[in-house]
Amino acid sequence: MSRTEKEAQKCLGKVYLVGAGPGDPGLMTLKGKGLLEGADVVIYDALVSPAILAMINPQAEKINAGKRMGRHSLLQAETTHLLIEKAQENAVVVRLKGGDPFIFGRGGEEMADLVQAGVSVEVVPGITAGIAASAYAGIPLTHRSYSSSVTFVTGHESAGKYKPQVNWQAIAHGSETIVIYMGIHNLPYIVEELKQAGLDSDTPIALVRWGTRPEQEELIGTIATIIGQVEETGFSAPAIAVIGSVVNLHSILSGCRPV
């Protein structure tokens, strides 16, 4: 038995991987809110909104483990070690992650490491940004007249990778709606890949920034125009991209945004 496993056996508490949702505190699950209110320690990500952080037990220890492009508060291995350490000393340890822990949130990796170390762990799902931000922008991801399929894909890959993990050639024709997470930085590369795959240049695309928050904003264009629009407006992350004919519904439905 390794030293880490021996240490983990001494754990008094349990780690909860909690999805905070995309930002609107009203979208936080009741179970997640209850855990924040009773937590001894909360280790949270960079994109968790201040309104949700305000739900945390005032007596709890709060640790920022956020990761943003080029700015890492803690390395992934350090975060896992910290979770194990805190579970040895506290009954309720919350790992608070933006969106849903298992949708491009590294929740599966963290949970596997904790389980391997013998730490008791439970996942509490959250509403993922791809669904919520699109809805708040008046873009239904599926619609009987426009789209019967949707693909969620990460855009957080280096354009210079020898063998990219995302097959954009297949993605371009795999479904009628494409939702791209963390893709703003690599958007020129992604758009070019989709064009090369034969996606029509007139295909609508929406970029939704700070989805579900008061500062939410959208940029609507086409595959042919969107890169120029981003450069002209200075549109930046964090944002998702929605590609497909459902984007055309934005002009009709966006006036009904939740408040």
Side-chain angles (χ1 to χ4, degrees), residues 3-15:
R3 178 181 176 182
T4 300
E5 290 171 330
K6 289 179 180 178
E7 290 176 347
Q9 282 190 338
K10 303 175 184 177
C11 289
L12 299 175
K14 184 174 183 177
V15 174

Side-chain angles (χ1 to χ4, degrees), residues 53-228:
L53 293 179
M55 298 177 184
I56 298 173
N57 172 13
Q59 306 305 316
E61 180 182 6
K62 293 178 278 292
I63 302 170
N64 184 352
K67 297 177 180 64
R68 295 292 302 279
M69 181 70 69
R71 305 193 301 275
H72 287 219
S73 296
L74 291 176
L75 297 175
Q76 190 63 49
E78 294 174 333
T79 300
T80 302
H81 178 77
L82 184 61
L83 288 167
I84 294 171
E85 179 182 284
K86 294 302 179 182
Q88 293 168 2
E89 305 165 353
N90 302 274
V92 179
V93 178
V94 171
R95 176 70 172 101
L96 187 61
K97 307 179 77 66
D100 179 88
F102 282 2
I103 303 294
F104 306 120
R106 299 189 181 184
E109 299 170 36
E110 292 183 7
M111 191 171 189
D113 288 342
L114 291 167
V115 169
Q116 186 174 14
V119 177
S120 180
V121 57
E122 179 180 335
V123 63
V124 180
I127 299 176
T128 186
I131 293 173
S134 302
Y136 274 49
I139 302 173
L141 299 183
T142 65
H143 188 289
R144 287 193 299 172
S145 299
Y146 295 90
S147 174
S148 297
S149 57
V150 58
T151 295
F152 295 95
V153 59
T154 178
H156 187 52
E157 289 196 309
S158 171
K161 285 179 66 176
Y162 170 68
K163 187 178 181 182
Q165 294 178 344
V166 175
N167 183 346
W168 293 107
Q169 300 286 316
I171 293 292
H173 303 288
S175 63
E176 294 157 300
T177 304
I178 304 169
V179 180
I180 304 172
Y181 290 67
M182 302 171 288
I184 301 302
H185 179 71
N186 283 335
L187 195 61
Y189 166 75
I190 293 169
V191 165
E192 184 59 31
E193 286 288 296
L194 294 173
K195 286 181 181 178
Q196 292 296 322
L199 194 65
D200 195 310
S201 293
D202 291 332
T203 303
I205 177 171
L207 307 182
V208 186
R209 183 173 187 263
W210 291 117
T212 79
R213 300 192 187 196
E215 61 267 39
Q216 175 178 317
E217 58 181 326
E218 301 96 35
L219 187 64
I220 310 297
T222 68
I223 290 296
T225 66
I226 196 64
I227 300 305

